[in-house]
Amino acid sequence: MTERLADIAAAMVADGKGLLAADESSSTIKKRFDTINLVSTFEARRDYREMLFTADEAMSKYISGVILYDETIRQAARDGTPLVDIIKKAGSIPGIKVDAGAKAMAAFPGEKVTEGLDGLRERLQEYHKLGARFAKWRAVIDIDTASGLPSYGALRANVQALARYAALCQENGIVPIVEPEVIMDGPNSTHDIKTCYTVTEKALKFLYEELFIARVDLEGTILKPNMVVPGQKCPVQASPEQVAELTVKLFKATVPVAVPGIAFLSGGQSDELATQHLSLINESGDLPWKITFSYGRALQAAAIKAWGGKDENWAAGQRAFTHRAKMNWLAGNGKWKAELEKAA
């Protein structure tokens, strides 16, 4: 694999392939394991990730890269093979989550700012030695129309942190995924799709302004945004066609053509709806960027249920993961159809 940032970024979004977000924190993976009544031990987390990463068809044909957690990038499979080496052998690229989470922002009630810049240069140097060639940093942007959120100050703080993170990544030979997520769920998620459009537009315009100021090479970056969707509690939900139309319109207005690819997060969408939206966006015509997926729960939910924490269900878990990966690969090429889900 070439070490040029632009080449790594291009490989991350090539041919409809997308990213598996397997960077759940210990607390998040515990919640996932709770749904199958499995205790979240070091060994259980290793076995689950190994089950995913050794799904040959999925990893070699549909997955371009895997976002790992600090624990996972250091783990080895049952036979002692580093999980990073298993990912590489499949032709996929190892990546790493490097932010320290979204924390309450001082003087900004109800808003958060992502932490983790302190010591990041040294951590990136170590992660590069461990095999990571891209990284992820997530900013959380809440909408609360009653309180006028997000505020200008919170938006600016989050995109400035994303820009500083991105510059440090590139300094250390790592492609930064910049993820400004406008949240679709939560207690105050009553906003309509037009509000999501307006807030996401502002966030992306601020983001690319800050990336320019920070001298980040856009050809060596990937954008991981939300789609333009109404809040989960909005009484008027949008059609998939409307989501695709507004999302494409937004990106044409905000994302520079130098960016090689856009890898969507699934947010609070169901597995199939996230896939349908992605496919409709790719069907919308000739776009200057590769449009693909960077899904966590939307790739894993069926797999973790089929696996159930049992060795005898290992193959069933891999089949479920492979199916979802294939469906999203088809969507990344604009070729997904609902009947393909029913045929599984």
Side-chain angles (χ1 to χ4, degrees), residues 53-326:
F53 303 160
T54 54
D56 292 337
E57 180 183 344
M59 293 295 297
S60 63
K61 292 184 178 180
Y62 313 130
I63 301 296
S64 60
V66 182
I67 310 171
L68 301 169
Y69 188 56
D70 181 80
E71 175 186 79
T72 317
I73 200 171
R74 305 172 191 278
Q75 277 183 316
R78 290 182 181 184
D79 67 1
T81 306
L83 293 181
V84 165
D85 289 350
I86 292 174
I87 293 168
K88 287 180 180 177
K89 186 178 179 182
S92 198
I93 305 168
I96 183 70
K97 165 189 160 73
V98 297
D99 68 68
K103 308 295 172 62
M105 187 170 171
F108 288 78
E111 297 192 276
K112 296 177 179 179
V113 64
T114 301
E115 298 181 350
L117 288 170
D118 289 350
L120 180 56
R121 174 179 278 121
E122 292 73 25
R123 288 191 288 127
L124 287 167
Q125 290 168 354
E126 181 187 12
Y127 287 139
H128 191 277
K129 291 177 182 176
L130 289 170
R133 291 299 179 268
F134 70 91
K136 190 199 83 165
W137 179 289
R138 175 176 178 254
V140 177
I141 300 163
D142 280 296
I143 296 177
D144 184 348
T145 51
S147 302
L149 304 184
S151 66
Y152 175 87
L155 275 176
R156 276 291 181 191
N158 273 292
V159 295
Q160 284 171 355
L162 277 166
R164 291 177 62 194
Y165 139 83
L168 283 165
C169 283
Q170 293 192 337
E171 176 189 86
N172 289 285
I174 288 176
V175 171
I177 295 178
V178 287
E179 181 179 353
E181 180 181 0
V182 176
I183 302 297
M184 70 173 291
D185 50 14
N188 303 308
S189 57
T190 58
H191 58 276
D192 61 19
I193 193 168
K194 291 183 179 179
T195 302
C196 179
Y197 184 103
T198 300
V199 172
T200 308
E201 179 183 38
K202 191 178 294 184
L204 290 175
K205 285 183 174 179
F206 287 173
L207 171 65
Y208 283 106
E209 184 179 286
E210 293 293 343
L211 289 171
F212 174 78
I213 292 170
R215 301 179 179 177
V216 172
D217 177 8
L218 296 185
E219 292 184 354
T221 67
I222 297 293
L223 174 66
K224 181 173 179 175
N226 54 282
M227 298 177 190
V228 180
V229 292
Q232 278 191 336
K233 295 185 179 181
C234 178
V236 181
Q237 290 295 311
S239 69
E241 291 76 16
Q242 186 181 15
V243 169
E245 180 184 354
L246 287 179
T247 300
V248 169
K249 179 183 177 182
L250 172 67
F251 291 148
K252 286 182 175 179
T254 56
V255 181
V257 296
V259 175
I262 297 168
F264 284 111
L265 55 90
S266 54
Q269 301 177 60
S270 70
D271 299 1
E272 288 190 24
L273 189 58
T275 305
Q276 182 180 13
H277 284 153
L278 175 61
S279 193
L280 286 170
I281 288 166
N282 275 303
E283 290 173 40
S284 64
D286 189 30
L287 299 170
W289 328 271
K290 296 284 189 178
I291 306 283
T292 189
F293 58 93
S294 178
Y295 292 168
R297 182 202 45 75
L299 277 172
Q300 296 184 48
I304 200 168
K305 183 178 180 181
W307 172 60
K310 299 175 181 177
D311 282 352
E312 59 266 32
N313 295 335
W314 188 280
Q318 290 186 330
R319 284 194 297 272
F321 170 53
T322 299
H323 173 69
R324 287 261 47 89
K326 183 177 182 179

